Amino acid sequence: MELTSTTFLVTLIVVTVLAVLAALLLWNRIPGPGWVRWPLRLLMIGLCQLTAICVVATWLNGSYGLYSSWEDLLGTDAGQGAGAMTGVPVGRASFTQNGDGTRTTFFRGSHSKLAGQVVVWTPPEYSAPGADRTRFPVLTLLHGYPGTPRTWIDLGDMPGALTQMVELGAAHPFILVIPEIYPGGVNTGCSNTPQRKIADWLARDVPDLVSRNFRTLPSPAGWGLMGVSTGAFCAAKLPLQYPKVFRAGAALDPDPLTGDPGVLTDPVLRERNSPMWLVEHTKKADVGLFLATSAQDKDSPPQQLEAFAKAAAGSGVRVKTLVRPVGGHNFQTWTGMYPDALGWLSTELSPPSAG
């Protein structure tokens, strides 16, 4: 049972309720002298408190994405080298069907040697009668830091928001792919470092996994990204680094586009992995980027979007910006940006097609 799953949280709630009911029913029914009864009563109180604390801790973890898995919580991945990470190879990865219509797998990438969780959702059109030969565009959703793939589902109203837009004819029916963006618990801003090849994980291993198991359009015309916060930084840079994989990226409230010294301390590595440097050194790449923020977001000020658009002039990179007048650095703001972002992505990426 996954640490971040709704099933685990519901199970803990049920156990807590049962513990309280058991304490109420057994309080005056414990046999024996007082020196036996009172320790058992204290034990029942402690069990009720422990289960209640576990419920609150699990809910907080799901809301804020503090730990992405049992391995992350127990520290069994973070201290290991990339080559020591567990998980079945990409070719043998299998998906588990979840109750919310998503499918989950935990696999090890052949390029990065990293292992992590990937959640996939296919639109209703994917399983419709007569659609068995139809291939679909892929939209990879990148969560923030801290965060988990479940953040998009539990807080980000996905895939519900996309489904509504498809029904209105405002967006393509995408296959949604939600991977961990820092497998093993180390955030590199989706960059390759000497120790961890997270860019290869996201741009090579995850696409390999999805294209092996689902009917996807070929890269790059049918592949895009959408991210929030740190994931937005990644959604802006990965199409520039891997234009043969991703045609477009939508970045909602991205982290500093010049790079974060707190994430990559090496100034050269940080610069060469920043969207600002990449767009200045990109020549005629068939890539589109959508950058959005709000005038009130101090973590992602509008000025950096203006600077990026100016740097992209003449590069061939298509840039569209959106600045909302109000909004914080949270999903309440980001969900309000979905119609613009998903609508734009549907103009940049190919629609489903029979093939």
Side-chain angles (χ1 to χ4, degrees):
M1 194 177 297
E2 296 177 8
L3 176 64
T4 57
S5 68
T6 303
T7 302
F8 180 62
L9 177 60
V10 171
T11 300
L12 283 178
I13 293 173
V14 171
V15 170
T16 301
V17 172
L18 292 176
V20 172
L21 290 175
L24 292 173
L25 293 173
L26 300 176
W27 188 265
N28 292 319
R29 299 184 181 182
I30 300 175
W35 64 270
V36 172
R37 294 197 305 272
W38 281 107
L40 291 176
R41 287 170 177 169
L42 290 175
L43 181 62
M44 289 191 295
I45 292 173
L47 180 61
C48 292
Q49 291 179 329
L50 177 62
T51 54
I53 290 171
C54 288
V55 168
V56 174
T58 301
W59 177 78
L60 288 173
N61 183 63
S63 298
Y64 295 98
L66 303 177
Y67 299 98
S68 61
S69 64
W70 290 109
E71 291 81 5
D72 192 7
L73 175 64
L74 299 174
T76 55
D77 273 350
Q80 297 178 347
M85 297 187 71
T86 60
V88 299
V90 60
R92 298 207 306 269
S94 60
F95 286 84
T96 300
Q97 187 74 44
N98 302 317
D100 57 7
T102 62
R103 309 177 208 187
T104 303
T105 190
F106 188 89
F107 83 102
R108 177 172 50 83
S110 58
H111 299 286
S112 68
K113 303 300 186 286
L114 295 171
Q117 183 188 70
V118 177
V119 178
V120 176
W121 175 83
T122 55
E125 294 82 359
Y126 188 90
S127 302
D132 55 313
R133 294 187 178 180
T134 301
R135 295 187 173 273
F136 287 77
V138 178
L139 179 59
T140 300
L141 302 179
L142 304 176
H143 59 78
Y145 180 85
T148 72
R150 290 290 314 180
T151 306
W152 278 101
I153 300 167
D154 297 334
L155 300 179
D157 192 27
M158 283 292 183
L162 173 61
T163 300
Q164 292 178 357
M165 288 193 62
V166 172
E167 291 174 350
L168 293 171
H172 292 332
F174 292 103
I175 296 173
L176 295 183
V177 178
I178 318 176
E180 291 185 56
I181 70 166
Y182 47 95
V186 179
N187 178 26
T188 70
C190 303
S191 302
N192 283 344
T193 70
Q195 295 77 31
R196 310 187 81 79
K197 309 296 184 184
I198 292 185
D200 284 349
W201 158 259
L202 292 169
R204 302 179 72 186
D205 293 328
V206 172
D208 282 355
L209 170 78
V210 176
S211 60
R212 280 173 179 260
N213 289 276
F214 299 91
R215 300 192 311 273
T216 65
L217 289 174
S219 300
W223 290 69
L225 308 114
M226 184 167 76
V228 296
S229 193
T230 298
F233 173 90
C234 302
K237 90 181 193 76
L238 289 174
L240 298 172
Q241 288 182 312
Y242 297 86
K244 294 183 179 180
V245 179
F246 303 112
R247 173 64 54 80
L252 312 183
D253 286 359
D255 285 354
L257 296 173
T258 53
D260 185 348
V263 174
L264 294 177
T265 56
D266 184 327
V268 175
L269 185 64
R270 180 172 66 250
E271 179 189 51
R272 300 299 173 89
N273 280 278
S274 70
M276 186 66 77
W277 186 90
L278 288 166
V279 78
E280 290 175 342
H281 294 79
T282 296
K283 302 299 182 183
K284 298 181 179 179
D286 186 11
V287 167
L289 296 176
F290 176 92
L291 307 178
T293 189
S294 74
Q296 297 178 324
D297 192 342
K298 296 180 180 179
D299 295 321
S300 186
Q303 292 82 357
Q304 74 162 344
L305 271 60
E306 297 171 6
F308 184 87
K310 184 177 179 180
S315 67
V317 176
R318 301 176 296 281
V319 178
K320 181 178 177 61
T321 60
L322 171 68
V323 178
R324 289 291 183 88
V326 295
H329 202 76
N330 51 54
F331 265 108
Q332 183 176 353
T333 300
W334 301 329
T335 53
M337 297 172 176
Y338 286 175
D340 294 282
L342 292 171
W344 177 85
L345 283 163
S346 296
T347 66
E348 289 285 323
L349 301 177
S350 301
S353 65

